[in-house]
Amino acid sequence: MDNTSLKAKPPLGGYRKTFGDTTLQEMTGLAIIAIATSNGGAVKVPGRDHNQLAVSANDPLDAPAPGTSNVIHQDQIAIRLLSLRQDLILAVFTAQNNRNAIEALRNKFGRTIPITDQSDAWVVLGLSGPLSESALERICSIDLHQDVFANGDLAQTRMEHISTILFRSGDEAFQIFAPRSYARSFLHAVETSIHNVR
Amino acid sequence: MIIDHPLLGPRDASEFTYLGDAALLDRPDTALLDFADGADGADRADGAAANAIRQFHDYLYLRDNIAGQTRELWFHEAGDGSWLVVTRDTVTHEIAKVEMARDVALAKKHNDEAK
């Protein structure tokens, strides 16, 4: 058993498919870390006592407001911070040099901030190309127009009854996070929707 | 119906579940209740409100059925898991105001303490 090493298996085996100029692919090799910021990204809110703290857009720690994201850099690592709600941020980065990335998060949010590794809990689909917006708008109720849902914005919502996080990574590019156990059903939903708008 | 979430912007009502009247936030202080004592209105030496049981009964069971503006609790189940207080007209379905229930509850606590 000495020579045995464990290798993570992506939920869809590294799926990739093109539909004309539109590409749907599984994003693999991502580290996904949940950060509970309830006492970390703290600001004083008028009319509240010191114990009533909340993360807000003018947070001194520069945590993104709910529904938006930003990127922090440290030691050539780019960490995307996706703010899901007032007290929960997902940090997403390429899984390498993870210790340095965790250190960067601790430097930003404090040594005692609760962080949870969720890397293998999600399946992430990357959808890019001219059909991506029209395919997604058929299966989610979020207004995807770029004036409203801009690059870097995200929404925690539901698609085909599956709880998802939808992130706009570019003009015609999205990343969609779904629970790993839904991987195949979720892929089927997105594939079907692309077929329907072709 | 679209609910304009104070933090996340407009979201479809299908992302939410409805609980009921926002009066549920105004739970009488259970510290003042003594359910063993059924004597409603009797003089109490321990500081309990004389009508404590009635207050709790009313809180649990009595609701106005308004044709017009109501304040309701909605839960953002498919989104960020927040509770909202939605001021909605039951005749027109027009939504006048959406607040975080947390803010409403904290403001109430703040007011009560200031009294």
Side-chain angles (χ1 to χ4, degrees):
Chain A
M1 294 294 284
D2 289 343
N3 297 325
T4 305
S5 66
L6 296 174
K7 202 173 171 187
K9 191 178 170 190
L12 293 170
Y15 167 95
R16 181 190 159 92
K17 199 168 177 181
T18 53
F19 306 81
D21 293 331
T22 300
T23 304
L24 178 64
Q25 63 177 325
E26 183 182 12
M27 316 284 292
T28 57
L30 290 178
I32 302 169
I33 308 285
I35 308 165
T37 57
S38 49
N39 289 315
V43 288
K44 266 193 190 176
V45 178
R48 295 189 188 166
D49 62 53
H50 291 71
N51 297 322
Q52 307 302 336
L53 300 166
V55 175
S56 80
N58 56 359
D59 182 346
L61 291 175
D62 192 30
T68 67
S69 67
N70 62 22
V71 180
I72 58 170
H73 297 271
Q74 179 159 326
D75 303 332
Q76 280 113 48
I77 308 167
I79 304 174
R80 168 74 68 175
L81 299 176
L82 305 167
S83 181
L84 298 181
R85 55 181 80 168
Q86 267 184 311
D87 53 4
L88 186 63
I89 288 173
L90 273 194
V92 182
F93 50 92
T94 307
Q96 56 180 12
N97 229 340
N98 295 353
R99 278 181 197 278
N100 288 3
I102 300 293
E103 195 57 27
L105 294 175
R106 287 201 170 127
N107 287 341
K108 183 171 173 60
F109 293 107
R111 310 300 304 172
T112 57
I113 200 88
I115 56 176
T116 316
D117 180 17
Q118 298 192 353
S119 305
D120 295 319
W122 297 90
V123 57
V124 186
L125 287 180
L127 177 60
S128 60
L131 295 177
S132 47
E133 196 172 302
S134 48
L136 287 177
E137 69 189 9
R138 290 177 66 101
I139 52 173
C140 81
S141 60
I142 303 291
D143 184 353
L144 296 177
H145 195 281
Q146 218 168 355
D147 291 350
V148 186
F149 195 71
N151 293 1
D153 283 358
L154 59 121
Q156 210 172 354
T157 183
R158 203 175 265 166
M159 296 184 194
E160 298 286 334
H161 309 285
I162 301 169
S163 290
T164 57
I165 300 165
L166 176 62
F167 166 63
R168 181 173 217 133
S169 52
D171 293 345
E172 288 183 338
F174 297 87
Q175 289 175 12
I176 325 148
F177 297 63
R180 184 188 177 113
S181 53
Y182 280 99
R184 285 175 177 278
S185 309
F186 184 55
L187 176 65
H188 176 71
V190 179
E191 264 187 339
T192 306
S193 192
I194 295 171
H195 281 300
N196 286 341
V197 296
R198 279 189 92 179
Chain B
M1 197 167 80
I2 288 174
I3 296 175
D4 196 357
H5 192 292
L7 292 174
L8 306 175
R11 293 298 187 100
D12 193 83
S14 65
E15 292 191 358
F16 296 83
T17 53
Y18 168 83
L19 180 68
D21 195 290
L24 285 163
L25 289 172
D26 304 324
R27 182 187 170 100
D29 188 350
T30 45
L32 300 180
L33 294 179
D34 180 357
F35 289 105
D37 184 353
D40 197 9
D43 281 345
R44 301 290 302 267
D46 59 1
N51 60 349
I53 287 176
R54 171 141 302 159
Q55 273 184 35
F56 206 82
H57 169 275
D58 293 356
Y59 162 77
L60 262 185
Y61 298 115
L62 298 189
R63 298 285 181 274
D64 293 329
N65 187 16
I66 302 163
Q69 240 182 32
T70 57
R71 291 173 79 241
E72 303 165 333
L73 282 169
W74 289 74
F75 176 54
H76 197 191
E77 189 187 28
D80 72 343
S82 58
W83 283 96
L84 304 179
V85 175
V86 176
T87 307
R88 185 175 70 93
D89 194 308
T90 53
V91 178
T92 62
H93 296 307
E94 187 186 356
I95 293 175
K97 193 155 104 181
V98 184
E99 304 154 278
M100 302 291 286
R102 183 178 187 272
D103 291 342
V104 173
L106 285 172
K108 181 178 181 292
K109 191 181 164 201
H110 190 70
N111 286 340
D112 289 351
E113 283 168 1
K115 274 176 196 167

